[in-house]
Amino acid sequence: MPKKYFKIGCTVIIVTLIGLFLKNNAPANNYKNPDTLNIQDKQSMMMADKAGVKIARGTSGKFETLYLGADGQFQWNILNPEETSFFDEDGKAIKSILLISTKLQTSTPFDQESNRYETSTLRQAEIALASQTLSPKEAEVIFNTTQPGGDVVTVTSYSFIESQLFGDKFFAPTAKIMNSNSCGLEDRHYRQEGNYYWLSAAAKDDPKLAGYISKCGVFAQLDITVEHLSARATANLDPHAVLFFAAAQGGKVSGVVGSKAMQDVEHQELLSDYRLTLKDASQTLVVSDQVKENNKISFNYNAQGDGDLLSAVIIDKTQNEIVSYGQLADISVTKMGVALIELPKKYDHDNYQIKVFSEQYNGDYKTDYASELVDLKIE
């Protein structure tokens, strides 16, 4: 081979290798270029306690996401599905699903007078954001979060004092959260959102400075009167108020409304975006006169509340996994009647349980609301 072509070939190989190295080692930015988590063996519809086990906490900037609020338009990163560091309004420790909004909201000064978050303009902006974003029923499942405050958090050359939280639905991120490896936010590249946003933490040594995160995801402190920084919401979701987690799109698939509606629930290996079905205390369901003939079950129902569908799930008793879902009857007009279910061939009484409920079904990316589950007891 002539030396000229040999040199050109070597140059091409070297440039290619350098390009591959830079691609594989470049800092990730979860908000701009999401890296979907590859969590095996998830179902497109899961009972809340099963989902709590399968949903991963944030790790190295990779987050699973939840649509909650603004009628399907508000998205959250799930930082920790088993958060235990906050308290309710009575000072009792709570177990929650810790969320942080994926987008920044209105620009605001921290305050004009003090870096005390408790009395700040920023806190009022967070409170207003919660009321504008959440429906009344969604607001019910977000804890009123409290925190005693006073802890000192040092990041690089900055020292922050964690502020007291006073029972708000949304609150500005704390320094601990944003520097936590248990939430996947320990690396600055995963704190980016394309603009500056405030922390709830105050500067330890200057009452006129408060904490913020820079465009580069770096901790810093800034004069509290600066107005171009954004608010960013964090919140604690009550896991006990959730009936089901479902894939944000196509997670609850039913056949045509009626006796043949039951459909197998799919397994999705790359599932990482969710919507919720929440318990709705205003909805109730009573069933009676349950009769099984061959593979069909009939029963009387009496539903009350805002539900527009009578639905059912079939659950594997041993795994507590939903194997089938279907919408049995339209109850938007008539709340009482007789429903019929045609069971899948694989159904057997010993291993599976049928549960029925009324639900307000709102579609992809939106929150559904449902009554408590009622067992169909077939002897």
Side-chain angles (χ1 to χ4, degrees), residues 260-315:
K260 298 182 180 181
M262 303 305 293
Q263 298 287 309
D264 287 348
V265 172
E266 296 181 352
H267 287 253
Q268 297 188 15
E269 292 186 354
L270 297 178
L271 175 59
S272 62
D273 297 313
Y274 305 93
R275 57 190 282 256
L276 299 176
T277 300
L278 300 177
K279 296 178 185 178
D280 179 4
S282 72
Q283 293 189 56
T284 61
L285 177 67
V286 177
V287 301
S288 61
D289 299 330
Q290 302 156 54
V291 178
K292 183 176 184 297
E293 292 184 5
N294 300 319
N295 72 325
K296 297 180 181 180
I297 296 176
S298 65
F299 61 95
N300 294 340
Y301 64 86
N302 183 345
Q304 299 298 323
D306 295 331
D308 49 25
L309 289 167
L310 175 70
S311 300
V313 289
I314 298 177
I315 296 174

Side-chain angles (χ1 to χ4, degrees), residues 315-332:
I315 296 174
D316 183 326
K317 292 180 181 178
T318 59
Q319 301 295 323
N320 195 32
E321 296 275 17
I322 301 172
V323 297
S324 186
Y325 165 79
Q327 299 166 353
L328 306 177
D330 183 340
I331 58 172
S332 57

Side-chain angles (χ1 to χ4, degrees), residues 82-362:
E82 296 182 306
E83 177 63 46
T84 58
S85 64
F86 292 98
F87 302 88
D88 63 16
E89 288 181 293
D90 298 320
K92 182 180 178 181
I94 56 175
K95 183 176 181 180
S96 69
I97 300 172
L98 179 62
L99 308 171
I100 187 168
S101 59
T102 62
K103 298 296 182 183
L104 303 183
Q105 306 304 318
T106 182
S107 295
T108 179
F110 188 99
D111 196 60
Q112 296 295 335
E113 302 295 334
S114 168
N115 66 2
R116 293 183 69 248
Y117 178 74
E118 303 92 296
T119 59
S120 69
T121 304
L122 175 62
R123 181 187 177 218
Q124 294 306 311
E126 295 280 358
I127 292 171
L129 179 61
S131 66
Q132 296 161 7
T133 301
L134 300 173
S135 72
K137 291 179 182 178
E138 287 173 326
E140 289 179 3
V141 306
I142 299 294
F143 280 115
N144 290 349
T145 301
T146 67
Q147 175 180 273
D151 291 346
V152 176
V153 179
T154 301
V155 185
T156 60
S157 59
Y158 294 100
S159 292
F160 303 89
I161 298 179
E162 293 285 35
S163 297
Q164 188 172 3
L165 302 179
F166 277 114
D168 300 334
K169 300 290 186 182
F170 290 2
F171 54 95
T174 69
K176 283 184 179 179
I177 288 174
M178 300 310 296
N179 195 45
S180 171
N181 57 13
S182 67
C183 295
L185 289 164
E186 74 280 12
D187 189 305
R188 69 181 180 86
H189 298 296
Y190 307 129
R191 295 192 288 261
Q192 295 178 48
E193 182 40 47
N195 201 351
Y196 305 90
Y197 56 94
W198 291 110
L199 301 177
S200 61
K204 178 176 179 293
D205 301 316
D206 191 330
K208 290 296 184 180
L209 299 180
Y212 77 100
I213 301 294
S214 76
K215 283 185 178 181
C216 300
V218 174
F219 278 82
Q221 295 174 358
L222 193 65
D223 188 292
I224 58 174
T225 62
V226 173
E227 297 185 352
H228 67 268
L229 273 69
S230 299
R232 188 175 190 184
T234 43
N236 282 297
L237 170 66
D238 180 1
H240 299 105
V242 181
L243 279 176
F244 310 122
F245 282 75
Q249 184 175 22
K252 296 170 76 173
V253 178
S254 170
V256 175
V257 175
S259 63
K260 298 182 180 181
M262 303 305 293
Q263 298 287 309
D264 287 348
V265 172
E266 296 181 352
H267 287 253
Q268 297 188 15
E269 292 186 354
L270 297 178
L271 175 59
S272 62
D273 297 313
Y274 305 93
R275 57 190 282 256
L276 299 176
T277 300
L278 300 177
K279 296 178 185 178
D280 179 4
S282 72
Q283 293 189 56
T284 61
L285 177 67
V286 177
V287 301
S288 61
D289 299 330
Q290 302 156 54
V291 178
K292 183 176 184 297
E293 292 184 5
N294 300 319
N295 72 325
K296 297 180 181 180
I297 296 176
S298 65
F299 61 95
N300 294 340
Y301 64 86
N302 183 345
Q304 299 298 323
D306 295 331
D308 49 25
L309 289 167
L310 175 70
S311 300
V313 289
I314 298 177
I315 296 174
D316 183 326
K317 292 180 181 178
T318 59
Q319 301 295 323
N320 195 32
E321 296 275 17
I322 301 172
V323 297
S324 186
Y325 165 79
Q327 299 166 353
L328 306 177
D330 183 340
I331 58 172
S332 57
V333 177
T334 303
K335 300 292 184 179
M336 301 174 63
V338 179
L340 183 67
I341 303 177
E342 293 192 20
L343 299 172
K345 292 181 179 180
K346 64 183 178 182
Y347 175 85
D348 70 83
H349 177 69
D350 293 332
N351 295 315
Y352 296 95
Q353 175 66 55
I354 305 170
K355 296 178 183 286
V356 294
F357 52 99
S358 71
E359 68 172 329
Q360 180 184 335
Y361 180 82
N362 295 311

